[in-house]
C-alpha cells in the first residue's frame, strides 16, 4: 500500500521558540490526519520538537545530514546525531542544497546511505531547473538524479525512500506545475522505479509534488493518480495553510 504524505520543509526559518510554538499548534490541530504528516525543521529544533510531538502522529525530519560518519567536520551534523534527536526522517537532495552547497549526485548518494544506515527514512528531492524544462530535458535530468544517488539501493532499502518531485522553477516562485505536468512527471518517475525494482515496488513508492503547493492548489494536484502528496515550503510555516493542505490530502 502506498503511503500518502504531506511534509513541511521549514528551511532556515523560525528561531527555536517560534518553531516550538508552531509545532505545539500543529500537535493540537493534527490529531487524526488521513495521511503521514512530517515536519522538516532546522537541526536546532529537532530534539525539542521531537519530544514535544511524542504521542502525536506528526513525524519529524532533518533537512540535511553530513556525508561523513563522524569526526573532524566542524559545523556538520551526522545522520547518527539526527537519529539521536528522535527525528525519523531526513530530507536530502533539495535543490537549494544542490545549488548553494554544491551537493552532487555522488555526495547525495553517500548521505542517503548514511541516513538509511542510521534507520532514518529519506525524503529525496529531484527536479529540473527552468532551462532544462524549456529545452524539454526534464525527464533525462530526473532519471540521472535517480540513477546517480538512489538506484544502487536494494529493494529493502528502497522501501525507506519517499521521492519528492520538485521542479526548481516552481520552488518559492508562486509558479506551480500544472496538474498535468505533475502527473506526467510522476508517472514517468514511477515507470523508472518499475524498471529498477518492479511494478509492485513502483506502485508502493510514495511520490510527493513540491513547488509552490499551497492550500489553494493542493487538492487539484493531489487528485492525480501518481501524486501521493506534497513537500511544502512556504505554506508549511503557517498552521492554517499547512492544516488545509493536510486536509486536502
Ligand atoms: C520546497 O522548498 O521544498 C518547496 C516546495 O518550497 P515552496 O513550497 O515554498 O515552493
Amino acid at each position: 500500500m502506498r503511503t500518502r504524505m504531506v511534509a513541511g520543509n521549514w528551511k532556515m526559518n523560525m528561531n527555536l521558540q517560534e518553531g516550538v510554538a508552531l509545532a505545539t499548534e500543529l500537535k493540537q490541530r493534527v490529531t487524526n490526519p488521513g495521511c503521514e504528516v512530517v515536519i522538516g525543521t532546522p537541526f536546532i529544533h529537532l530534539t525539542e520538537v521531537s519530544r514535544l510531538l511524542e504521542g502525536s502522529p506528526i513525524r519529524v525530519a532533518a533537512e540535511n545530514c553530513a556525508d561523513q560518519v563522524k569526526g573532524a567536520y566542524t559545523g556538520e551534523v551526522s545522520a547518527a546525531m539526527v537519529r539521536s534527536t528522535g527525528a525519523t526522517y531526513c530530507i536530502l537532495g533539495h535543490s537549494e542544497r544542490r545549488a548553494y552547497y554544491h551537493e552532487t549526485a555522488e555526495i547525495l548518494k553517500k548521505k542517503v546511505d548514511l541516513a538509511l544506515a542510521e534507520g532514518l527514512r529519506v525524503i529525496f528531492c529531484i527536479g529540473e531547473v527552468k532551462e532544462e524544462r524549456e529545452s524539454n530535458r526534464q525527464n533525462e535530468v530526473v532519471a540521472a538524479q535517480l540513477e546517480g544517488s538512489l538506484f544502487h539501493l536494494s529493494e529493502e532499502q528502497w522501501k525507506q525512500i519517499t521521492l519528492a518531485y520538485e521542479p526548481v522553477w516552481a520552488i518559492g516562485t508562486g509558479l506551480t506545475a500544472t496538474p498535468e505536468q505533475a502527473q506526467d512527471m510522476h508517472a514517468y518517475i514511477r515507470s523508472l522505479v518499475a524498471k529498477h525494482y518492479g511494478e509492485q515496488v513502483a506502485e508502493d513508492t510514495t511520490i510527493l509534488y513540491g513547488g509552490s503547493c499551497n492550500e489553494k492548489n493542493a487538492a487539484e494536484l493531489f487528485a492525480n493518480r501518481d501524486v501521493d502528496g506534497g513537500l511544502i515550503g512556504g505554506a508549511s510555516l503557517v498552521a492554517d495553510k499547512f492544516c488545509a493542505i493536510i486536509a486536502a490530502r
Side-chain angles (χ1 to χ4, degrees):
M1 257 294 277
R2 205 185 293 172
T3 302
R4 266 63 184 187
M5 181 188 292
V6 172
N9 176 16
W10 290 2
K11 311 193 187 191
M12 197 173 72
N13 292 297
M14 293 193 290
N15 64 26
L16 180 59
Q17 291 71 30
E18 291 163 341
V20 166
L22 177 55
T24 303
E25 182 170 359
L26 291 174
K27 183 181 184 180
Q28 282 158 3
R29 294 176 61 167
V30 182
T31 51
N32 193 17
C35 64
E36 179 93 329
V37 176
V38 180
I39 51 176
T41 82
F43 290 130
I44 63 135
H45 298 69
L46 291 175
T47 303
E48 200 157 335
V49 168
S50 296
R51 213 170 276 153
L52 175 85
L53 291 175
E54 271 170 24
S56 150
I58 305 174
R59 306 279 169 253
V60 180
E63 299 172 11
N64 181 29
C65 72
D67 63 349
Q68 302 292 334
V69 176
K70 67 182 291 189
Y73 301 99
T74 303
E76 287 295 287
V77 175
S78 71
M81 291 171 179
V82 168
R83 191 71 187 93
S84 73
T85 66
T88 50
Y89 281 86
C90 188
I91 300 171
L92 292 172
H94 194 281
S95 61
E96 288 152 14
R97 299 226 42 103
R98 292 179 193 260
Y100 307 146
Y101 303 98
H102 316 294
E103 294 193 354
T104 61
E106 197 54 38
I107 291 171
L108 290 168
K109 183 179 180 183
K110 278 204 218 165
K111 293 189 175 198
V112 168
D113 289 345
L114 290 167
L116 295 181
E118 289 303 329
L120 291 165
R121 299 181 60 86
V122 170
I123 299 174
F124 194 82
C125 307
I126 53 179
E128 79 286 356
V129 301
K130 187 160 167 271
E131 297 71 39
E132 291 161 342
R133 167 67 65 168
E134 283 169 353
S135 54
N136 202 28
R137 286 189 294 128
Q138 63 274 13
N139 286 12
E140 66 181 86
V141 169
V142 162
Q145 289 170 334
L146 290 169
E147 195 66 59
S149 304
L150 292 184
F151 279 165
H152 65 290
L153 298 175
S154 69
E155 189 178 319
E156 261 328 283
Q157 288 175 309
W158 184 264
K159 292 180 181 156
Q160 307 307 314
I161 302 289
T162 297
L163 297 176
Y165 169 58
E166 299 208 303
V168 181
W169 46 270
I171 296 178
T173 59
L175 288 176
T176 316
T178 64
E180 293 72 30
Q181 284 172 325
Q183 169 56 27
D184 285 355
M185 180 54 93
H186 283 227
Y188 173 66
I189 292 167
R190 205 177 296 288
S191 76
L192 294 175
V193 177
K195 242 192 243 165
H196 279 264
Y197 296 102
E199 289 293 340
Q200 192 54 55
V201 173
E203 257 317 294
D204 293 345
T205 298
T206 301
I207 310 177
L208 309 179
Y209 168 79
S212 298
C213 181
N214 58 40
E215 71 289 2
K216 297 193 184 84
N217 58 28
E220 204 187 355
L221 287 159
F222 298 167
N224 292 282
R225 189 197 174 282
D226 289 294
V227 180
D228 305 314
L231 179 56
I232 317 298
S236 73
L237 298 171
V238 181
D240 280 349
K241 294 184 182 184
F242 193 56
C243 290
I245 296 168
I246 295 167
R249 179 62 279 179

